[in-house]
């Protein structure tokens, strides 16, 4: 009789434990870190993180990433018990350079794993370097001429064609020498001069130099500039 009672209690405990284990969703990622390795600037980093629901209820997922820099994390929304699905992450690299790390937080309804942190790393290298990255002209009087130098360097392994260079806003300045279609060999440099003729009212003046190229996924590179315009 005692043995019967013992096994009955043991069976009840197993049922309760199994109910606790399998009655709730359980998020099990196949990985939480991905290293994209060396990536050419402009290339889109793409990776799918596989998540399996080993619990007994539907698992819900929601990305908490702000989407800054164009980063996207697309979740399936929900995963049924025993099923797997993917969180698709895409990261544009057009404005990135050097060692890169991004953490994406995924909120779940798994009581034991309410937040999953996915980490993506990469080493993003430039194939076309433009220096300086930003031009500050400081102070200048309206109607005066402001000048700064730009150095364009082919830091890649293949030839690059510069299709054109323009200043925005239109009419604010010019590039010299004027270049059209220009081929840069690896390690070759091109020196340019940015000349501004600000005719605006006193205040802060901003613009861009836009370099068009034949680089795949990186058709344009931009250098921003700024100047504080004072009265004559």
């Amino acid at each position: 009789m005692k043995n019967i009672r013992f096994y009955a209690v043991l069976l009840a405990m197993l049922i309760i434990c199994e109910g606790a284990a399998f009655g709730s969703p359980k998020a099990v990622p196949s990985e939480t870190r991905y290293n994209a390795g060396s990536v050419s600037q402009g290339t889109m980093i793409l990776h799918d993180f596989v998540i399996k629901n080993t619990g007994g209820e539907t698992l819900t997922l929601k990305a908490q990433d702000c989407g800054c820099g164009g980063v996207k994390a697309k979740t399936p929304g929900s995963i049924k018990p025993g099923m797997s699905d993917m969180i698709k992450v895409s990261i544009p690299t057009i404005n990135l350079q050097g060692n890169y790390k991004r953490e994406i937080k995924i909120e779940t309804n798994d009581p034991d794993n309410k937040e999953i942190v996915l980490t993506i790393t990469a080493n993003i290298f430039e194939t076309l370097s433009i220096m300086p990255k930003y031009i500050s002209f400081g102070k200048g009087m309206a109607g005066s001429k402001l000048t700064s130098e730009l150095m364009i360097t082919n830091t890649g392994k293949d030839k690059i064609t510069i299709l054109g260079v323009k200043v925005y806003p239109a009419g604010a300045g010019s590039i010299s020498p004027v270049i059209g279609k220009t081929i840069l060999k690896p390690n070759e440099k091109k020196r340019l001069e940015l000349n501004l003729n600000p005719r605006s009212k006193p205040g802060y003046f901003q613009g861009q130099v836009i370099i068009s190229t034949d680089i795949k996924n990186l058709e344009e590179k931009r250098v921003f500039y700024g100047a504080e315009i004072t009265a004559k």
Side-chain angles (χ1 to χ4, degrees):
M1 188 67 177
K2 290 182 178 179
N3 288 339
I4 294 174
R5 289 179 179 176
F6 171 77
Y7 286 118
V9 171
L10 180 61
L11 179 59
M13 291 178 65
L14 287 172
I15 292 173
I16 292 171
C17 290
E18 287 183 1
F22 297 102
S24 58
K26 187 168 183 62
V28 181
S30 61
E31 60 178 342
T32 58
R33 302 181 68 88
Y34 172 68
N35 184 359
S38 293
V39 176
S40 174
Q41 187 182 55
T43 302
M44 183 75 75
I45 297 175
L46 301 171
H47 189 67
D48 297 337
F49 290 91
V50 178
I51 306 289
K52 184 174 183 179
N53 180 8
T54 61
E57 293 182 1
T58 299
L59 173 70
T60 60
L61 304 168
K62 183 179 179 181
Q64 297 298 310
D65 191 79
C66 66
C68 307
V71 176
K72 294 182 180 179
K74 184 178 180 181
T75 69
S78 63
I79 303 175
K80 294 181 179 180
M83 303 298 290
S84 298
D85 213 323
M86 295 178 291
I87 298 173
K88 297 179 177 292
V89 178
S90 61
I91 302 174
T93 65
I94 190 169
N95 295 314
L96 303 178
Q97 180 185 349
N99 292 326
Y100 175 80
K101 180 181 178 181
R102 182 62 175 259
E103 291 184 344
I104 298 173
K105 296 179 180 180
I106 306 297
E107 181 184 303
T108 84
N109 64 335
D110 178 351
D112 298 320
N113 196 9
K114 294 183 178 181
E115 184 179 86
I116 299 172
V117 179
L118 305 176
T119 304
I120 293 181
T121 56
N123 179 28
I124 302 165
F125 61 92
E126 285 188 307
T127 52
L128 186 68
S129 172
I130 304 173
M131 294 297 294
K133 304 295 184 185
Y134 175 80
I135 300 172
S136 176
F137 286 98
K139 292 184 179 181
M141 290 190 299
S144 64
K145 183 178 179 180
L146 305 176
T147 302
S148 183
E149 186 179 273
L150 280 174
M151 182 67 76
I152 302 177
T153 306
N154 181 350
T155 53
K157 298 180 179 179
D158 302 310
K159 293 180 180 179
I160 294 174
T161 301
I162 305 297
L163 302 175
V165 182
K166 61 182 179 180
V167 180
Y168 178 85
S174 61
I175 291 289
S176 62
V178 176
I179 64 171
K181 190 174 181 180
T182 304
I183 296 175
L184 288 182
K185 298 177 182 178
N187 298 317
E188 188 175 358
K189 298 181 179 181
K190 184 72 175 179
R191 190 188 305 272
L192 300 175
E193 194 173 79
L194 170 61
N195 303 300
L196 291 186
N197 298 293
R199 298 182 177 85
S200 58
K201 296 178 181 180
Y204 196 73
F205 180 75
Q206 299 181 81
Q208 305 172 37
V209 178
I210 305 171
I211 297 96
S212 301
T213 79
D214 67 343
I215 303 174
K216 186 179 180 181
N217 302 317
L218 192 63
E219 289 78 14
E220 289 184 349
K221 291 206 70 171
R222 297 170 182 253
V223 175
F224 292 83
Y225 64 81
E228 185 180 350
I229 307 305
T230 60
K232 293 183 180 181

